[in-house]
Amino acid sequence: MPVDFTKYQQGGDELPSDPRVIFATLPGRARGYLRDVQGQVLDAWYERRRERDIAIKMNTGTGKTAVGLLALQAASMRVTDQPCM
């Protein structure tokens, strides 16, 4: 399900680069909730986002795919100011 960035573009606001803000823009049911470990990993990644070659290591079943996609979307917003599709 795509993320709706039109509310940022219409108001002249910058597109979000924080993965937690991007997660909050997901529509209701698709959003669900972030698990504690997902939030911790996203926070740690966000602090180090300007470094190269960061690996994310998480246990099985902890939501690596969601974390990876949110980090990728956040990184693409920082570089291009356009949503990654």
Side-chain angles (χ1 to χ4, degrees), residues 44-55 75 78:
W45 173 84
Y46 191 67
E47 290 175 11
R48 299 179 57 189
R49 67 190 179 279
R50 300 201 191 288
E51 296 178 26
R52 291 186 54 159
D53 303 326
I54 296 177
R78 181 176 55 83

Side-chain angles (χ1 to χ4, degrees), residues 5-73:
F5 289 102
T6 56
K7 70 177 187 175
Y8 294 103
Q9 294 167 343
Q10 290 173 354
D13 296 334
E14 287 187 24
L15 295 172
S17 65
D18 184 338
R20 285 182 178 259
V21 174
I22 294 171
F23 182 78
T25 64
L26 290 172
R29 215 173 91 195
R31 182 176 57 223
Y33 63 94
L34 275 179
R35 296 179 182 151
D36 215 22
V37 68
Q38 290 173 312
Q40 292 170 6
V41 169
L42 285 171
D43 290 342
W45 173 84
Y46 191 67
E47 290 175 11
R48 299 179 57 189
R49 67 190 179 279
R50 300 201 191 288
E51 296 178 26
R52 291 186 54 159
D53 303 326
I54 296 177
I56 295 175
K57 182 178 177 182
M58 296 171 66
N59 290 331
T60 302
T62 55
K64 291 181 291 290
T65 302
V67 167
L69 290 173
L70 286 166
L72 176 64
Q73 182 68 49

